[in-house]
Amino acid sequence: MALVVQKYGGSSVATAERIRRVAERIVETRKRGDDVVVVVSAMGDTTDELLDLAQQVNPAPPPREMDMLLTSGERISNALVAMAIASLGARAQSFTGSQAGVITTSSHGKAKIIDVTPGRVRAALDEGKVVLVAGFQGVAQDTKDVTTLGRGGSDTTAVALAAALGADVCEIYTDVDGVYTADPRIVPNARRLDTVSFEEMLELAATGAKVLMLRCVEYARRYNVPVHVRSSYSNKPGTMVTGSMEDIPVEEAILTGVAHDRSEAKVTVVGLDDTPGSAGMVFRAVADAEIDIDMVLQNISKVETGKTDITFTLPRELGPVAVEKLNGLREEIGFSEVLYDDHIGKVSLVGAGMRSHPGVTATFCEALATAGINIELISTSEIRISVLCRDTDLDEAVRVLHDAFDLGTDEEAVVYAGTGR
Amino acid sequence: MALVVQKYGGSSVATAERIRRVAERIVETRKRGDDVVVVVSAMGDTTDELLDLAQQVNPAPPPREMDMLLTSGERISNALVAMAIASLGARAQSFTGSQAGVITTSSHGKAKIIDVTPGRVRAALDEGKVVLVAGFQGVAQDTKDVTTLGRGGSDTTAVALAAALGADVCEIYTDVDGVYTADPRIVPNARRLDTVSFEEMLELAATGAKVLMLRCVEYARRYNVPVHVRSSYSNKPGTMVTGSMEDIPVEEAILTGVAHDRSEAKVTVVGLDDTPGSAGMVFRAVADAEIDIDMVLQNISKVETGKTDITFTLPRELGPVAVEKLNGLREEIGFSEVLYDDHIGKVSLVGAGMRSHPGVTATFCEALATAGINIELISTSEIRISVLCRDTDLDEAVRVLHDAFDLGTDEEAVVYAGTGR
């Protein structure tokens, strides 16, 4: 008998009819003899509607009250799913994040999970009940106030519960049926991956793959919780995220996929004094504005001037903030100007194969060059190559790289074509 | 500096615009220097919408999950009011029933308040904050589950908090501007009462006056909490419910008002053996079905047969249950048949004046007789006379009694008419 944690997104429970379908899937799992803990997001647009109401009464609502407001969405969906399960003859009990022992920091709207003490969840499981836990929320360790975990919070709740309960697997049900070698909307012959290592999934999530949030994968990796990404609308096998790259035999090591990201902007600080500490001052200024930067490039200093340029990327919506902050410190830091460019895209190739297969970087650059796509910035890790290009070139870049490394599924496509006979 | 508890009903916070208006009234009170605790019901139709959703996923939803579902409505409205108050520059903090220390029994859907331990509420008040408490809900002492208090729950929450905090007054804001001598929709010249004693308000609530729920008045009387009934749409003085009848000088003692109730049905058990215990068996059977009965009449036994009839009234929706239960015990109890009549209405005259003014009952019956209204059953208390009549006669009965005891406001009406000059 296994212990399974299942997480269903808001679209999976958007209507009473979908809630009943989700309940059937949960009861099926229970009938197999497994213990089941379920984390459900708020129904469909509930969260947006609550945000809209808040805006109407206060354009700058206090974060604590915002969390009190938003957490009601998951209470509603969880109670409804529990009712739907009961109507199918199984016993179910729903818990708020606080009741389930999800202890967090007190930073409202983006709280971090400190600990999970699932005593009541365990007790309900021991009584043979299906347990529902409101995702995305917890209780602050110090203030005892209700908190929310921010984006991807429900996935993180599910993985954190799975870790605390020692679950065999955490199933994330979403509107795609797994992790693909590229976005199928851009690359029609993209292939679904049966398994991905935590490290590869981390790189994919970090470079724009939307299917799992980075923090959720980090949590799963730290506590070694296998995460099964599946579609809530089908019974397809999905993708299992588990294990370390080290477990993958080198000769099998292949490239995982191509990720893309159009959410970043590029900032270049021009004419910076090439003296120790000046770069540090630039990044300190950005860090003080609580902006995370991604790629960084420092140009070779021009000997004649002793000046250099620093280029970095950051979330597009925070670009103006960073530029203003830097211009305010122009004299203090010492540079000539700040350039801002938000018409960029980032394409990344991820895969353990890179370690053992030479020439990947060369093939990567050749493929883009052949397609006439100019590379503006390169950064690499042991299992990833990322480059910046024009946003208008991004989709084409994803396609040519996906082809160049033969990540597609021609065979399977043929098989599908043949199924008519 | 006073401590004021204010309660606002669902219609008062049905939209973002009304929530802002309520917030303004709250902040005005705070600016007068008073400490303010606010209890808010769920927005407008929220509760009905949640009930509807529940019905769609499970026609017989588990009570525990129902409470988890419904309590989210008050979380939403309270958080929004707190935000609206903050936008006006005042500091506010909202609490769930559980956070506010509302400890209840574990009977979901109709929990009773066992104790109120408002430690966090007191602390927030001491910090100068306006405190909002989600009405209608609490936490079960034994299971720690979320509970709801049932009908009139938010009023009861407000009064219970006022008692626990030693508040100077509990203001109940509703869509009428006070307690009237009769329902103004039936009696156009009904008069608003400036003050009503707890005993009189108890009788009015018990006999159909909708403005305050009986349990809320009982709670206020037990802990001697003055309740101020006011309109949330005006600044009219409203009605103060406070003090004992004993405080009212006899010579001032007047009749309070006429209440009516069309929610009851009449059951008659015919041909009951007039032997000790048979009546007890009838009422035991009804009590076993958890049905509260109201008026009771046992006819004089017919000497020739040694049989008697027992008539009683009960909530109309429970009538069929009672009849079925009794018919099932017909042999055991020993009676010939059960008659059921749900076309009845109850009209009641309430007032301390009854004690000191003889002939009230006579005037009461004469007035109805003159109007050709037949009295089917009479019951009285020291300060109340209630009779059953046809439901079709009920409105007329209310009018003629209101006139017969001169409860109207001709003078005031004249004054109003004269204000044009």
Side-chain angles (χ1 to χ4, degrees):
Chain A
M1 188 181 82
L3 170 53
V4 180
V5 175
Q6 300 185 331
K7 181 264 177 177
Y8 294 90
S11 63
S12 308
V13 291
T15 66
E17 197 279 332
R18 288 189 186 176
I19 284 174
R20 286 198 303 272
R21 206 187 310 160
V22 164
E24 284 163 9
R25 187 185 285 268
I26 293 166
V27 171
E28 278 170 22
T29 312
R30 180 77 191 102
K31 283 191 176 147
R32 284 205 313 263
D34 295 341
D35 279 337
V36 190
V37 175
V38 180
V39 175
V40 180
S41 302
M43 294 173 71
D45 307 328
T46 306
T47 303
D48 292 340
E49 289 162 10
L50 292 174
L51 285 168
D52 178 52
L53 268 175
Q55 282 298 314
Q56 291 180 51
V57 297
N58 186 342
R64 180 193 179 281
E65 299 304 329
M66 203 62 187
D67 281 357
M68 176 73 87
L69 178 73
L70 293 180
T71 48
S72 60
E74 280 75 17
R75 282 169 78 108
I76 292 171
S77 54
N78 275 264
L80 289 171
V81 173
M83 292 175 187
I85 292 172
S87 75
L88 297 173
R91 291 162 63 220
Q93 190 163 348
S94 69
F95 294 104
T96 65
S98 169
Q99 290 174 335
V102 179
I103 317 294
T104 74
T105 61
S106 58
S107 62
H108 289 287
K110 50 181 192 301
K112 298 262 171 295
I113 294 177
I114 297 171
D115 190 14
V116 180
T117 55
R120 294 186 66 179
V121 173
R122 174 69 69 188
L125 287 173
D126 294 344
E127 294 169 15
K129 292 174 178 165
V130 172
V131 173
L132 292 107
V133 175
F136 175 68
Q137 62 183 262
V139 60
Q141 191 170 41
D142 46 6
T143 62
K144 304 293 176 231
D145 284 334
V146 176
T147 56
T148 62
L149 305 178
R151 288 191 61 214
S154 290
D155 289 7
T156 310
T157 301
V159 171
L161 272 166
L165 292 164
D168 299 274
V169 62
C170 180
E171 300 178 337
I172 305 286
Y173 288 90
T174 173
D175 49 7
V176 298
D177 60 6
V179 181
Y180 276 75
T181 52
D183 185 336
R185 286 166 300 185
I186 296 176
V187 182
N189 73 332
R191 182 167 46 81
R192 182 185 53 75
L193 298 161
D194 294 327
T195 68
V196 183
S197 71
F198 288 125
E199 292 92 331
E200 291 165 306
M201 194 65 232
L202 275 178
E203 293 281 11
L204 286 171
T207 52
K210 302 267 186 310
V211 59
L212 285 179
M213 293 294 292
L214 184 58
R215 65 189 291 197
C216 157
V217 182
E218 287 170 336
Y219 210 106
R221 180 194 193 183
R222 187 182 322 139
Y223 294 96
N224 194 29
V225 177
V227 175
H228 192 178
V229 180
R230 306 184 59 181
S231 165
S232 38
Y233 305 116
S234 79
N235 281 312
K236 295 198 182 140
T239 299
M240 186 64 80
V241 183
T242 183
S244 159
M245 275 180 350
E246 311 311 325
D247 311 337
I248 308 173
V250 173
E251 57 272 19
E252 288 183 19
I254 46 93
L255 296 167
T256 313
V258 178
H260 68 282
D261 185 351
R262 39 182 115 250
S263 71
E264 296 191 340
K266 184 177 72 172
V267 171
T268 303
V269 180
V270 180
L272 190 69
D273 290 324
D274 190 11
T275 53
S278 56
M281 291 167 74
V282 168
F283 294 124
R284 169 59 54 202
V286 178
D288 289 346
E290 295 197 330
I291 298 172
D292 293 328
I293 63 171
D294 176 22
M295 303 168 83
V296 176
L297 170 75
Q298 175 162 0
N299 298 359
I300 291 88
S301 173
K302 304 184 191 63
V303 181
E304 62 276 10
T305 61
K307 301 283 186 185
T308 185
D309 304 340
I310 283 185
T311 299
F312 61 89
T313 63
L314 75 176
R316 192 172 291 180
E317 68 272 16
L318 296 177
V321 182
V323 171
E324 187 185 1
K325 178 87 175 178
L326 285 167
N327 278 330
L329 296 166
R330 187 161 159 184
E331 300 307 317
E332 189 180 329
I333 299 176
F335 59 83
S336 52
E337 65 175 329
V338 176
L339 305 178
Y340 179 68
D341 178 358
D342 59 8
H343 290 295
I344 58 158
K346 183 174 75 172
V347 61
S348 305
L349 177 68
V350 172
M354 252 174 255
R355 299 176 303 172
S356 49
H357 295 53
V360 169
T361 308
T363 309
F364 187 104
C365 298
E366 286 160 8
L368 293 179
T370 307
I373 297 169
N374 184 44
I375 296 174
E376 305 189 10
L377 202 157
I378 300 184
S379 86
T380 63
S381 82
E382 192 191 32
I383 64 168
R384 175 183 55 80
I385 307 175
S386 300
V387 305
L388 284 191
C389 63
R390 291 290 88 194
D391 54 0
T392 48
D393 290 337
L394 189 58
D395 290 2
E396 180 63 10
V398 172
R399 277 188 289 269
V400 298
L401 290 172
H402 195 265
D403 289 347
F405 292 98
D406 195 23
L407 297 171
T409 62
D410 305 343
E411 307 76 4
E412 289 185 29
V414 173
V415 172
Y416 287 139
T419 49
R421 290 188 248 119
Chain B
M1 187 181 81
L3 171 53
V4 180
V5 175
Q6 300 185 331
K7 181 264 177 177
Y8 294 91
S11 61
S12 308
V13 292
T15 66
E17 196 280 332
R18 287 189 187 176
I19 285 174
R20 286 199 303 273
R21 207 188 310 159
V22 163
E24 284 164 11
R25 188 185 284 271
I26 294 167
V27 171
E28 279 170 23
T29 312
R30 180 76 190 102
K31 284 191 175 148
R32 285 205 311 264
D34 296 340
D35 279 336
V36 189
V37 175
V38 180
V39 175
V40 181
S41 302
M43 293 173 71
D45 307 330
T46 307
T47 303
D48 291 341
E49 289 162 11
L50 292 174
L51 285 168
D52 178 53
L53 268 174
Q55 281 299 313
Q56 291 180 49
V57 298
N58 186 342
R64 180 191 179 282
E65 299 305 328
M66 203 61 186
D67 282 356
M68 177 73 87
L69 178 73
L70 293 181
T71 48
S72 60
E74 281 75 17
R75 280 169 79 107
I76 291 170
S77 54
N78 275 263
L80 288 171
V81 173
M83 292 176 188
I85 292 171
S87 74
L88 297 174
R91 291 162 63 222
Q93 189 162 348
S94 70
F95 293 104
T96 65
S98 170
Q99 290 173 335
V102 179
I103 317 294
T104 74
T105 62
S106 58
S107 61
H108 289 287
K110 50 182 192 304
K112 299 262 172 296
I113 294 177
I114 297 172
D115 191 15
V116 179
T117 55
R120 293 185 67 179
V121 172
R122 175 71 67 187
L125 287 174
D126 294 344
E127 293 169 16
K129 291 174 179 165
V130 172
V131 173
L132 292 106
V133 176
F136 176 69
Q137 63 184 262
V139 60
Q141 191 170 42
D142 46 6
T143 63
K144 304 293 176 234
D145 285 334
V146 177
T147 54
T148 63
L149 305 179
R151 289 191 60 214
S154 290
D155 289 6
T156 310
T157 301
V159 171
L161 273 167
L165 292 165
D168 298 274
V169 62
C170 179
E171 299 178 336
I172 304 286
Y173 288 91
T174 174
D175 48 10
V176 297
D177 59 8
V179 181
Y180 275 75
T181 52
D183 185 337
R185 286 165 299 185
I186 296 175
V187 182
N189 73 331
R191 183 167 45 82
R192 183 184 54 73
L193 299 160
D194 294 328
T195 69
V196 183
S197 70
F198 288 124
E199 292 92 332
E200 291 166 306
M201 194 65 232
L202 275 179
E203 293 282 10
L204 286 171
T207 52
K210 301 268 185 307
V211 59
L212 285 178
M213 293 295 293
L214 184 59
R215 64 190 292 197
C216 156
V217 182
E218 287 170 338
Y219 210 108
R221 181 193 193 184
R222 189 182 322 140
Y223 294 96
N224 194 27
V225 176
V227 175
H228 193 178
V229 179
R230 305 184 59 183
S231 164
S232 38
Y233 305 115
S234 78
N235 282 313
K236 294 195 183 142
T239 298
M240 186 64 81
V241 183
T242 183
S244 160
M245 277 180 349
E246 312 310 324
D247 311 338
I248 309 174
V250 173
E251 57 272 20
E252 289 183 18
I254 46 93
L255 295 167
T256 312
V258 178
H260 69 282
D261 185 351
R262 25 181 129 254
S263 71
E264 297 192 339
K266 183 177 74 172
V267 172
T268 303
V269 179
V270 180
L272 190 69
D273 291 322
D274 190 9
T275 52
S278 55
M281 291 168 74
V282 168
F283 295 124
R284 169 59 53 202
V286 177
D288 288 347
E290 293 196 331
I291 297 172
D292 293 328
I293 62 173
D294 176 21
M295 304 167 82
V296 177
L297 169 76
Q298 176 162 359
N299 298 0
I300 291 86
S301 172
K302 304 182 190 65
V303 180
E304 63 278 8
T305 60
K307 301 282 186 185
T308 185
D309 304 338
I310 283 186
T311 300
F312 60 90
T313 62
L314 75 177
R316 191 170 293 181
E317 68 272 18
L318 297 175
V321 182
V323 171
E324 187 187 0
K325 178 87 175 178
L326 285 167
N327 279 329
L329 296 166
R330 187 162 160 181
E331 300 307 318
E332 189 181 327
I333 299 176
F335 59 83
S336 52
E337 65 175 328
V338 175
L339 305 178
Y340 179 67
D341 178 358
D342 59 7
H343 290 295
I344 58 158
K346 183 174 74 171
V347 61
S348 305
L349 176 67
V350 172
M354 252 173 258
R355 298 176 304 172
S356 48
H357 296 52
V360 169
T361 308
T363 310
F364 187 104
C365 297
E366 285 160 9
L368 293 179
T370 307
I373 297 169
N374 184 42
I375 297 173
E376 305 189 10
L377 203 157
I378 300 184
S379 87
T380 63
S381 82
E382 190 190 42
I383 64 168
R384 174 182 56 79
I385 306 173
S386 299
V387 305
L388 284 190
C389 64
R390 292 289 87 195
D391 53 0
T392 48
D393 290 336
L394 188 58
D395 289 2
E396 180 63 9
V398 172
R399 277 188 288 269
V400 298
L401 289 173
H402 196 265
D403 290 347
F405 292 98
D406 195 23
L407 298 170
T409 60
D410 304 344
E411 307 77 3
E412 289 187 29
V414 172
V415 172
Y416 288 139
T419 50
R421 294 189 241 118

